[in-house]
Amino acid sequence: MRKPFVAGNWKMNKTIAEARELVEKMSAEIKDVATVEKVFCPPFTALATVRDALKNAECGVGAQNMHWEEKGAFTGEVAPNMVKELCEYVILGHSERRAYFGETDATVNKKLHAAQKHALVPIVCVGETLDEYESDRTQEIVSSQTRLGLAGVSADYAAKIVVAYEPVWAIGTGKASTGAAANAVIKDFIRSTIADLYGAETAQAVRVLYGGSVTASNAKEFFTQPDIDGALVGGASLKLDEFVSIIKAF
Ligand code: PEP
């Protein structure tokens, strides 16, 4: 049985002081919700603060990105072992990184191998753009991002990863997909690709989230779908009542 999973992606928001204030309040509200895996992904600068503020709330903490190399002349980058010192999760291949920072399926794959080596749990993002959606290319894009992103990863590790289906047209737009449509993409294109690569058992073990304008009012629509294990939440994860309600929607 897959445990429901809700992760908040704060993107480039919150100073250390602001992060502490928000998670201290959230922690009090969600500390007794033991049935849901809860993960906070603040900017690198706030990881230690958020981790410490959440230590009694049984929450995970994750980075929003990392480099695949161990160390070296990569100004501005953060290595996997540096991430591992601070947290256990890492978001890989978010569409904003693909769109603005040149990430490709090949770099996502290198990062995934680095995450495996350092026993980090990756939240691997896949999803089609509006153009691709409108030209009926969702299957092609989502299947190939899944296949190329996971290439060469061991079956044991594949079973532990988290995949987030995030249609780019739904991120930050207020135009969420529907529960049924997101479930179909996850079942037919993501789990079926993982089944091709690793077999049906692994495909069923992998936690697959939906992300894209999830709010307290639409969360239930996604969480009641059989192939959706939870949500990757952007904007709403920065709002105390909203994020607490999403977590409690399970
Ligand atoms: C995201 O950033 O991954 C995301 C899903 O954003 P939002 O919830 O704001 O659409």
Side-chain angles (χ1 to χ4, degrees):
M1 183 61 187
R2 302 182 300 258
K3 192 172 180 182
F5 190 108
V6 178
N9 171 18
W10 287 7
K11 314 192 188 204
M12 197 173 71
N13 292 291
K14 302 290 176 193
T15 62
I16 292 174
E18 290 165 350
R20 182 183 299 112
E21 191 187 340
L22 181 59
V23 280
E24 276 173 358
K25 288 181 187 149
M26 286 206 185
S27 167
E29 302 276 343
I30 59 177
K31 68 177 179 342
D32 297 326
V33 186
T35 47
V36 179
E37 211 161 321
K38 310 157 292 237
V39 175
F40 288 77
C41 303
F44 284 120
T45 45
L47 278 168
T49 301
V50 167
R51 178 199 59 199
D52 294 348
L54 289 170
K55 66 177 177 299
N56 298 322
E58 289 200 31
C59 291
V61 178
Q64 298 173 16
N65 178 38
M66 68 177 190
H67 201 282
W68 60 87
E69 291 287 353
E70 300 285 317
K71 61 173 159 178
F74 301 102
T75 301
E77 291 291 328
V78 176
N81 62 342
M82 299 169 187
V83 170
K84 182 70 185 187
E85 275 185 316
L86 291 165
C87 59
E88 61 274 30
Y89 294 90
V90 61
I91 298 175
L92 298 180
H94 190 281
S95 63
E96 288 152 15
R97 299 224 44 98
R98 294 179 191 255
Y100 309 138
F101 301 100
E103 288 214 12
T104 61
D105 294 326
T107 59
V108 171
N109 183 247
K110 286 184 185 189
K111 292 178 183 200
L112 191 56
H113 281 271
Q116 174 172 11
K117 183 167 174 204
H118 291 274
L120 284 156
V121 179
I123 302 172
V124 182
C125 302
V126 299
E128 78 285 5
T129 63
L130 182 61
D131 251 18
E132 291 160 349
Y133 174 69
E134 285 177 341
S135 49
D136 219 7
R137 294 179 62 208
T138 301
Q139 171 166 15
E140 171 200 332
I141 299 298
V142 171
S143 304
S144 78
Q145 286 178 341
T146 306
R147 186 177 296 277
L148 297 173
L150 270 62
V153 161
S154 74
D156 273 5
Y157 186 64
K160 296 187 186 105
I161 72 175
V162 180
V163 177
Y165 168 53
E166 298 210 304
V168 181
W169 47 268
I171 297 179
T173 59
K175 291 185 192 134
S177 183
T178 62
N183 191 75
V185 172
I186 288 171
K187 176 171 177 283
D188 298 337
F189 308 153
I190 296 177
R191 288 199 199 280
S192 72
T193 300
I194 297 172
D196 276 356
L197 294 170
Y198 298 105
E201 208 176 307
T202 304
Q204 280 314 307
V206 171
R207 286 157 303 172
V208 188
L209 316 178
Y210 166 75
S213 297
V214 172
T215 61
S217 36
N218 66 17
K220 263 228 154 67
E221 177 181 345
F222 296 101
F223 296 166
T224 47
Q225 298 292 330
D227 279 283
I228 301 180
D229 299 310
L232 180 56
V233 184
S237 72
L238 291 159
K239 298 177 191 152
L240 175 66
D241 294 342
E242 194 80 11
F243 198 49
V244 168
S245 303
I246 292 170
I247 288 168
K248 291 185 173 170
F250 275 99

